Amino acid sequence: STTNALVCGSIGSGKSVLLRTVIEYAKLAGVDEIIIFDPKYEFNGYHNNMDCYVYNDILEIEEQMANMLLEMEGLIKAGVLGIKCFLTHSGIDEFPNVTEKDLDEAMPILARYNIPLLAHCELDGECGHELGKNPTSYAAFLASRPRAWENNAVGLMIDKCRKHNCPVHIVHVSSADALIQIETAKKEGLPITAETCAHYLYFTAENIPDASCIYKCAPPIRESGNNQRLKEALLSGVLD
């Protein structure tokens, strides 16, 4: 049968035209099953389409995502080169974060095919910040996503990489404090790679003005001393 299509999105995200185009293109291409995760009830017009399955309830969405673990091998065989996950809320309700249980179920499958798991590494935890009182303050935003969140998440992914011998790629490393863990894991011979991004190398927290959401990203852009260490790690090969 024709490859299934999975669509996640909402009008509120500003991408509804693109997502609707994806759905219509999939139908024209002869896709025999289209699954739509729609917790905001914005694609209900597709409920009556014989090729579409629309899930609105969060519990239903979570159940369907669990079922998709069983389909991951099919995606790999169809040519998927990697699987992406978030360890903290992605900011999009229909793209929830994974749990340790999810990792332990998915990573053995990926390891069997030598397919990497790409991980957004932040683990929510306690942190003192006043972002609620100062929502336009960059310093408050930076404090709301501390290095410890990133460091702990990188540590978790290294542990899971070791446990399952599953290739892991840490995306957009922002905390230089995590570099020693990555370097040690590589020296151990674990199948792990890590990247940073240009904005973490070029911009610095000290020079970001308040109320300038163009600089808002997660993990956040950090201080100049931190970013200098990222540059050195990129040159030394600790970062790929």
Side-chain angles (χ1 to χ4, degrees):
S1 62
T2 310
T3 305
N4 294 358
L6 168 64
V7 178
C8 307
S10 67
I11 291 173
S13 69
K15 299 178 181 177
S16 61
V17 173
L18 174 60
L19 289 168
R20 292 186 189 280
T21 301
V22 169
I23 296 169
E24 297 303 327
Y25 180 81
K27 288 164 64 178
L28 289 171
V31 171
D32 57 9
E33 182 179 281
I34 301 170
I35 299 171
I36 305 172
F37 291 164
D38 179 29
K40 298 181 181 178
Y41 295 86
E42 293 169 331
F43 289 84
N44 283 350
Y46 289 94
H47 266 298
N48 298 324
N49 190 302
M50 62 180 295
D51 298 325
C52 294
Y53 298 87
V54 182
Y55 296 94
N56 305 116
D57 182 78
I58 292 296
L59 291 178
E60 285 186 335
I61 291 173
E62 290 178 350
E63 181 180 352
Q64 288 300 314
M65 291 187 69
N67 291 338
M68 285 177 184
L69 272 176
L70 304 175
E71 300 179 10
M72 198 157 58
E73 286 188 88
L75 291 172
I76 294 169
K77 290 176 180 178
V80 167
L81 300 178
I83 301 291
K84 171 78 180 288
C85 72
F86 279 73
L87 299 185
T88 190
H89 194 285
S90 69
I92 305 173
D93 289 338
E94 58 266 36
F95 189 7
N97 58 282
V98 299
T99 64
E100 281 197 56
K101 179 176 180 291
D102 296 325
L103 293 172
D104 285 332
E105 291 175 350
M107 292 179 78
I109 299 173
L110 295 173
R112 192 152 59 242
Y113 292 93
N114 198 35
I115 294 293
L117 179 62
L118 288 70
H120 174 115
C121 282
E122 288 181 290
L123 276 175
D124 292 5
E126 294 295 326
C127 66
H129 66 85
E130 297 186 346
L131 187 60
K133 295 180 181 179
N134 301 290
T136 63
S137 165
Y138 187 78
F141 171 69
L142 180 59
S144 76
R145 302 189 85 109
R147 297 188 202 185
W149 284 18
E150 212 177 328
N151 304 336
N152 293 339
V154 169
L156 173 64
M157 290 310 303
I158 291 172
D159 288 343
K160 297 299 181 184
C161 174
R162 182 184 296 110
K163 177 180 179 180
H164 299 292
N165 195 33
C166 174
V168 167
H169 181 69
I170 308 298
V171 301
H172 41 62
V173 174
S174 158
S175 170
D177 294 344
L179 294 172
I180 185 63
Q181 296 183 80
I182 296 168
E183 183 177 15
T184 301
K186 286 187 170 187
K187 288 180 178 178
E188 185 182 334
L190 295 180
I192 189 164
T193 54
E195 68 179 55
T196 190
C197 300
H199 47 281
Y200 297 131
L201 303 175
Y202 186 78
F203 299 108
T204 59
E206 295 91 334
N207 295 319
I208 294 177
D210 292 342
S212 297
C213 59
I214 191 173
Y215 296 100
K216 181 178 180 290
C217 58
I221 297 167
R222 303 191 188 278
E223 303 85 355
S224 58
N226 176 92
N227 297 357
Q228 180 59 38
R229 290 164 63 195
L230 294 178
K231 293 177 184 177
E232 293 168 0
L234 186 61
L235 291 173
S236 69
V238 172
L239 292 175
D240 297 278

